[in-house]
Amino acid sequence: MSTTTPSLPEAVTTDPNRPWRIAARVAGLAVAASLAMLLSGVGLPALASRIILLVGLIALAALLLRGKYAKFFSGPAAYAATASLLLLVVLAIFATELAPQNPYDLRQLDIMDGRQPPGSTNFDRSMTFHLGTDEQGRDILSGILYGLRVSLSVSIAATLAAMAIGVVVGIYAAWAGGRIEAILMRIVDFQLSFPSILVALMLMAAFGRGLDKIVIALIIVQWAYYARTVRGTALSEARKEYIDAARGLGLPSWRIIFGHLLPNCIPPLIVISTVQVANTIVLESSLSFLGVGVPITQPSLGLLIANGYGYMLSGQYWMSMYPGVALLAIVASINMVGDRLRDTLNPRLTR
């Protein structure tokens, strides 16, 4: 009795992870599209774009932790950090809808409402300042919500761009080797030999103030961290058998790098990028506090702290304290979530 050979589509085993990869790509495209619509003002209404952005971010986080929820949420600290981070991200995304005042609109500010204590009201009693006001009459609660958005958007944009540059440099250095690797890594060492705040101050002094300028300065400061991390991981992965097998099959270099080498470098990249987002928020806040960061018409948390710093000794603590608490909360929650991601995505680490 003769047997028939199955056709190619029937003989190939279905990849069980393919639906999850497709879902991750769809979520990533949704996040990118919503960000593009929010930045350009073209497309869906702003509220719908923000909802898509939030859903896409939650979907990406859920896909990242697929099958590892028990390990990630292994203690009450993980629940607290994740809940606080999610709350702060929601407040930042929907700041326009949640804030009682637009602190960037000078028409809504009244100098007569300046330096009002928490719980006070404005002149016509139509608005309550739950956290007080600053010297310009800006509601502190509204300033914190908008400041969270500025700090997070600047840090995330700078982190993603710096990670893209660092990945290209690190992967290329590890794959090329020899003199090219030595030259690129010496550039990285030279970059890392200077304090980040010093380099950022010099760049901002040359560029001037502005959101785009501070993003460029933060990219220049950060890219070397990713280049060194990716280069070390890529060197370790390049010695493994699956890379030798891909080379033996005659696959082109670009397919080996992007199809096999780069995907195995993603877990440490996710961990370091999470930590770097928190570090970038601190660095951006430091630059804004020193007066060389974001413009005064779009204050971040650091600029809000700087605006009220001179009134601390006079008893008007709320102008700096509440933005400082918000900055501490966002940085602490990101660092704690990054620590849990490190322990979850790296099987070599054990508690």
Side-chain angles (χ1 to χ4, degrees):
M1 181 177 180
S2 62
T3 58
T4 59
T5 303
S7 61
L8 184 59
E10 297 175 350
V12 176
T13 304
T14 304
D15 184 6
N17 294 322
R18 188 168 182 270
W20 301 108
R21 288 202 298 268
I22 295 176
R25 291 171 185 171
V26 171
L29 289 174
V31 170
S34 60
L35 285 175
M37 288 186 289
L38 288 172
L39 292 175
S40 63
V42 179
L44 297 175
L47 180 58
S49 299
R50 294 190 187 102
I51 293 175
I52 295 174
L53 174 62
L54 179 62
V55 173
L57 291 174
I58 294 175
L60 285 176
L63 291 170
L64 176 64
L65 296 175
R66 182 175 59 90
K68 301 175 182 178
Y69 296 107
K71 187 175 182 180
F72 182 83
F73 295 104
S74 59
Y79 287 98
T82 305
S84 61
L85 180 59
L86 179 61
L87 174 62
L88 292 171
V89 170
V90 170
L91 292 177
I93 292 176
F94 297 100
T96 305
E97 289 75 24
L98 298 176
Q101 178 193 76
N102 184 356
Y104 301 160
D105 188 359
L106 299 179
R107 295 172 297 179
Q108 299 185 24
L109 305 182
D110 189 349
I111 194 65
M112 299 299 294
D113 296 327
R115 294 184 285 176
Q116 295 295 320
S120 60
T121 59
N122 59 354
F123 184 75
D124 58 1
R125 298 185 181 276
S126 61
M127 178 180 175
T128 301
F129 304 117
H130 298 285
L131 299 183
T133 62
D134 62 6
E135 59 180 347
Q136 285 87 25
R138 182 185 293 115
D139 179 42
I140 296 297
L141 177 59
S142 302
I144 289 174
L145 295 179
Y146 278 79
L148 276 173
R149 174 186 291 181
V150 172
S151 296
L152 282 173
S153 59
V154 168
S155 60
I156 291 175
T159 299
L160 291 177
M163 181 171 61
I165 297 173
V167 165
V168 172
V169 174
I171 286 281
Y172 182 67
W175 187 259
R179 183 175 298 178
I180 294 177
E181 180 185 12
I183 294 174
L184 291 176
M185 287 302 103
R186 296 300 76 75
I187 296 175
V188 170
D189 293 338
F190 180 78
Q191 169 76 41
L192 295 176
S193 63
F194 292 95
S196 299
I197 185 67
L198 177 60
V199 176
L201 279 172
M202 294 172 59
L203 292 172
M204 292 306 298
F207 296 158
R209 301 178 68 170
L211 287 176
D212 54 343
K213 298 178 179 64
I214 194 171
V215 169
I216 295 174
L218 293 174
I219 291 171
I220 297 174
V221 169
Q222 286 190 95
W223 70 271
Y225 295 99
Y226 299 99
R228 178 164 291 280
T229 301
V230 172
R231 179 248 184 186
T233 306
L235 284 176
S236 176
E237 294 293 330
R239 300 188 183 98
K240 295 185 178 180
E241 291 80 5
Y242 71 92
I243 297 295
D244 294 334
R247 284 172 171 166
L249 291 173
L251 297 180
S253 298
W254 65 268
R255 185 173 177 183
I256 298 176
I257 292 174
F258 292 102
H260 301 279
L261 190 58
L262 182 58
N264 288 283
C265 298
I266 289 178
L269 273 178
I270 293 174
V271 175
I272 191 175
S273 61
T274 305
V275 176
Q276 280 301 114
V277 167
N279 293 337
T280 307
I281 291 176
V282 174
L283 182 57
E284 180 274 325
S285 299
S286 302
L287 294 173
S288 298
F289 181 84
L290 295 173
V292 295
V294 296
I296 195 171
T297 55
Q298 294 180 312
S300 66
L301 295 177
L303 190 56
L304 292 175
I305 297 172
N307 290 339
Y309 177 73
Y311 300 95
M312 290 289 290
L313 297 179
S314 63
Q316 298 170 351
Y317 61 90
W318 58 87
M319 287 186 278
S320 286
M321 190 188 76
Y322 293 127
V325 171
L327 178 62
L328 176 64
I330 187 66
V331 172
S333 59
I334 291 175
N335 280 328
M336 293 177 67
V337 170
D339 182 69
R340 294 304 312 154
L341 283 175
R342 181 198 63 187
D343 295 343
T344 302
L345 299 179
N346 192 346
R348 298 176 183 175
L349 294 178
T350 56
R351 285 281 183 187

